[in-house]
Amino acid sequence: MQMMIGRRSIVMGVLGAAAGGQVVAQSPAKWDLYAVTGVTHPITLRYKEFAEEVRKATDGKLDIVVRPAGELPFRATEVVKVAGEGQVQLSEAYMGFISGAVPLASMSSLPFLVRNAQELEKAWPIIDKFTAPVFAKAGVKNLFYHTWPAQNIFGSGKPIRTIEDFKGRKIRSTDGKQAEMLKQLGASSVSLTTAEVPVAMERGVAEGFITAGFNVVGSKWYEFIKWGWLGDIHIGGPDYRLVNIAAYDRLDPDTRTKLDAVAKDYAPRFRAANLADETKDLEMLKTQYKVDLFVPPKEQIDALIAKMRPYWEQWAASQGASGTAMLKEIQAALGK
């Protein structure tokens, strides 16, 4: 993280004079998109594809520059504030990382509530309804969302196979709700940044971590794991694409329309590509890197859902009436 990118503005200028009067045109707008993934990570590369599609669709009137992890001096937990203040115009806001800033935006990370992309699609209208007003107060709105695949546990040492196997284990989590799940199962939650995970695993500070196989391969974490527990703890989304409202409003109407159109078209392709990668990468972990992958039986998952349901209600109630109402609507939509 080396330099601060300040607020960019759309500059209107007089380009020249023509016979009979002046011709006024809009200078191209240049936006920064903050990403939490590294330069070569598939997520970063897909943001760059999105940016290129926007540039072409707007005939260069909107140029989005993707800023991978480490390029800007911001933490993933700060992105709502950073985008709201206009320090960047677009920001990746993974629900787990912004759970402190906008708790309701992370309800889908309640363990075993929203477990896959199909359930997230059903829950999304409810999530959007409750989170949009909160985001608006912070000066941002969601341009589109994608999702990481289901979050599972990968580690070294003795494999986790049963609920009892969680006891005494040290596992890195990315969200307080994951940490509570681990606590209830007798494990310890370890808080680590992405960059700290390899060293922590090497030194035994952590024995495992919660993520997707897609990220294990993308981050090259297969070098220090031996097993995976594929219980689909929760889906890895929404990963919100927050846009600064003031910057968005300053775009001319045609550019805004084209940006919205590209976002609407690109979002489902982004989600589908991530999920396809998960299938491919789990197979790669199993065959190429010899990671022992275990899918727990239904009765184990049912027991975990029953164990976590009181916590869903407790956590939702801690967010006030909106939290309780949002949980009830999601449960009704998913039949849980």
Side-chain angles (χ1 to χ4, degrees):
M1 299 182 181
Q2 299 174 353
M3 62 179 181
M4 174 75 73
I5 303 297
R7 185 190 299 267
R8 298 183 183 274
S9 61
I10 299 175
V11 180
M12 300 296 292
V14 176
L15 298 184
Q22 291 182 323
V23 177
V24 180
Q26 181 188 38
S27 298
K30 180 168 280 191
W31 284 7
D32 289 315
L33 191 163
Y34 171 85
V36 302
T37 49
V39 176
T40 62
H41 197 286
I43 292 288
T44 304
L45 299 180
R46 285 177 188 135
Y47 289 143
K48 291 184 176 181
E49 290 176 1
F50 167 72
E52 180 61 17
E53 290 195 18
V54 170
R55 188 188 66 79
K56 289 180 179 179
T58 62
D59 296 321
K61 290 182 179 179
L62 179 54
D63 182 15
I64 298 173
V65 180
V66 177
R67 306 291 185 178
E71 189 169 327
L72 299 178
F74 308 132
R75 293 180 176 273
T77 55
E78 300 173 325
V79 294
V80 176
K81 180 175 183 289
V82 167
E85 293 177 347
Q87 296 184 68
V88 296
Q89 291 72 38
L90 276 170
S91 186
E92 177 183 8
Y94 178 68
M95 51 112 178
F97 292 144
I98 64 169
S99 60
V102 185
L104 290 181
S106 69
M107 184 171 285
S108 52
S109 69
L110 283 168
F112 304 102
L113 176 61
V114 184
R115 297 180 59 228
N116 54 55
Q118 293 73 31
E119 290 186 344
L120 179 59
E121 187 172 355
K122 293 178 182 178
W124 169 249
I126 302 165
I127 295 170
D128 188 40
K129 179 178 74 172
F130 282 92
T131 58
V134 185
F135 283 137
K137 288 181 180 178
V140 295
K141 72 172 188 172
N142 185 58
L143 185 64
F144 70 90
Y145 83 92
H146 69 80
T147 183
W148 295 65
Q151 302 294 285
N152 289 298
I153 303 176
F154 300 87
S156 59
K158 179 185 176 182
I160 290 178
R161 292 289 181 269
T162 68
I163 295 177
E164 289 72 27
D165 290 337
F166 280 88
K167 293 180 180 178
R169 308 307 289 272
K170 297 177 290 184
I171 298 171
R172 183 248 190 174
S173 62
T174 59
D175 176 274
K177 295 179 282 301
Q178 292 178 352
E180 178 62 27
M181 176 198 75
L182 293 171
K183 177 183 176 181
Q184 291 199 21
L185 295 178
S188 299
S189 171
V190 183
S191 179
L192 300 166
T193 65
T194 300
E196 292 171 330
V197 170
V199 175
M201 291 290 292
E202 180 182 352
R203 295 179 179 177
V205 174
E207 301 169 72
F209 44 80
I210 300 176
T211 191
F214 168 58
N215 190 48
V216 174
V217 173
S219 300
K220 299 183 179 179
W221 289 353
Y222 47 75
E223 297 173 350
F224 43 80
I225 63 168
K226 297 295 183 183
W227 53 265
W229 182 87
L230 308 184
D232 293 352
I233 298 169
H234 61 75
I235 191 63
D239 196 328
Y240 303 87
R241 204 60 44 252
L242 299 181
V243 59
N244 177 274
I245 293 174
Y248 177 84
D249 288 345
R250 284 196 297 267
L251 296 174
D252 67 83
D254 181 64
T255 300
R256 279 200 305 270
T257 297
K258 289 176 177 176
L259 170 63
D260 290 341
V262 173
K264 183 178 180 180
D265 177 70
Y266 194 76
R269 289 190 280 128
F270 199 146
R271 295 193 288 270
N274 288 353
L275 298 176
D277 277 354
E278 180 72 355
T279 300
K280 171 179 64 67
D281 289 343
L282 285 176
E283 183 62 24
M284 183 184 298
L285 288 174
K286 180 179 178 180
T287 58
Q288 183 172 337
Y289 298 110
K290 309 304 179 184
V291 177
D292 182 13
L293 301 179
F294 174 76
V295 178
K298 182 178 182 300
E299 54 267 27
Q300 187 178 134
I301 298 300
D302 289 344
L304 287 166
I305 290 174
K307 187 174 184 64
M308 296 310 301
R309 187 174 282 112
Y311 174 63
W312 298 349
E313 297 170 357
Q314 174 192 339
W315 184 89
S318 73
Q319 306 307 315
S322 292
T324 298
M326 184 177 175
L327 174 62
K328 286 182 178 179
E329 289 191 30
I330 291 176
Q331 286 180 291
L334 302 182
K336 294 185 180 182

